[in-house]
């Protein structure tokens, strides 16, 4: 026995199941169509007058999903199987293989012409894919926890940044102080010049 995957109609993973080792491919899952109480009564009445042929008919069924007997790759999130894509690829391969066998039967090795090339088999597992987007997968990933060394590096970087900010503020303060001192010196010089001019004019 080996594992196969039960999917819904869109090929989305539902649960695993066990099948025979020799079984491979994609198979439809059918279920009987459920009848409500009224339909059940009507069916019971109608069945009493049906002929033998009608009574032998199988109940109606509907497609509810698939059994995918194809290996599921590891590491997929909410795996989804592309049923239609696989079936088309398989049909194309089967047709190409029949054509290959026909060409091989007609091939004459003594003709010197190359023998027909066998078509590449379908990589069935490649039709499994993630059912989540890259953003959804990334959101599920656990955030890395920093080690003690990483934490020390972070704290050291914060400390260095704080020191740099203090030095920048100190430089600005020194620059402002120097500017104020220069301004005061200019005012003092202007005041001395004014006094000299007044003295020369005999005002003081």
């Amino acid at each position: 026995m080996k594992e196969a995957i039960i999917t819904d109609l869109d090929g989305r993973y539902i649960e695993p199941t066990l099948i025979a080792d020799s079984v491979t491919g994609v198979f439809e899952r059918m279920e009987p169509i459920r009848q409500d109480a009224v339909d059940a009564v009507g069916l019971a009445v109608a069945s009493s007058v049906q002929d033998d042929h009608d009574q032998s008919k199988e109940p109606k069924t509907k497609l509810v999903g698939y059994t995918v007997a194809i290996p599921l790759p590891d590491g997929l999130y909410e795996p989804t199987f592309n049923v239609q894509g696989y079936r088309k690829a398989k049909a194309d391969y089967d047709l190409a293989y029949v054509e290959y066998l026909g060409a091989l039967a007609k091939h004459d090795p003594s003709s010197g012409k190359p023998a027909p090339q066998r078509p590449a088999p379908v990589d069935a597992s490649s039709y499994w894919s993630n059912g989540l987007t890259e953003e959804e997968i990334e959101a599920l990933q656990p955030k890395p926890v920093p080690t003690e060394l990483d934490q020390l590096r972070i704290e050291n970087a914060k400390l260095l940044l704080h020191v740099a900010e203090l030095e920048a503020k100190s430089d600005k303060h020194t620059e402002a102080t120097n500017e104020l001192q220069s301004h005061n010196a200019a005012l003092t010089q202007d005041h001395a010049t004014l006094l000299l001019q007044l003295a020369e004019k005999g005002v003081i």
Side-chain angles (χ1 to χ4, degrees):
M1 302 293 286
K2 67 178 182 180
E3 184 180 273
I5 305 300
I6 293 176
T7 75
D8 62 12
L9 288 171
D10 295 321
R12 287 191 292 262
Y13 180 103
I14 296 179
E15 62 182 358
T17 187
L18 292 177
I19 58 173
D21 291 334
S22 59
V23 177
T24 300
V26 178
F27 308 93
E28 296 180 345
R29 293 191 302 112
M30 310 298 293
E31 288 184 358
I33 297 177
R34 295 181 179 179
Q35 303 290 337
D36 57 25
V38 175
D39 291 338
V41 172
L43 182 61
V45 173
S47 63
S48 63
V49 295
Q50 287 178 334
D51 56 25
D52 293 339
H53 176 70
D54 291 334
Q55 291 177 4
S56 66
K57 287 184 178 179
E58 296 182 357
K60 294 182 179 180
T61 59
K62 63 178 180 179
L63 178 65
V64 295
Y66 303 93
T67 298
V68 181
I70 291 172
L72 173 63
D74 295 330
L76 295 181
Y77 293 85
E78 295 191 13
T80 301
F81 191 80
N82 183 358
V83 175
Q84 302 307 321
Y86 167 76
R87 284 181 167 176
K88 182 180 184 307
K90 187 67 168 57
D92 291 343
Y93 169 79
D94 291 342
L95 178 60
Y97 189 73
V98 170
E99 293 175 348
Y100 158 74
L101 292 178
L104 187 63
K106 297 177 181 179
H107 176 66
D108 181 6
S110 63
S111 65
K113 295 181 180 179
Q117 294 295 317
R118 182 172 183 168
V122 177
D123 182 8
S125 291
S126 67
Y127 288 88
W128 282 108
S129 63
N130 284 312
L132 299 181
T133 64
E134 292 297 329
E135 292 76 12
E136 291 171 331
I137 293 174
E138 185 176 350
L140 294 175
Q141 302 300 322
K143 295 183 178 180
V145 179
T147 63
E148 184 176 353
L149 179 59
D150 291 336
Q151 192 65 37
L152 289 174
R153 288 174 177 170
I154 293 173
E155 294 298 330
N156 184 56
K158 289 181 179 179
L159 181 60
L160 291 175
L161 179 60
H162 182 61
V163 170
E165 290 175 349
L166 291 177
E167 289 178 348
K169 290 180 180 179
S170 177
D171 291 341
K172 288 183 179 179
H173 178 71
T174 301
E175 182 179 350
T177 301
N178 292 337
E179 184 178 351
L180 181 60
Q181 290 176 347
S182 298
H183 183 65
N184 289 338
L187 289 176
T188 301
Q189 184 177 358
D190 291 343
H191 184 251
T193 301
L194 178 61
L195 290 176
L196 179 60
Q197 291 175 349
L198 291 174
E200 290 176 347
K201 293 180 180 180
V203 176
I204 57 174

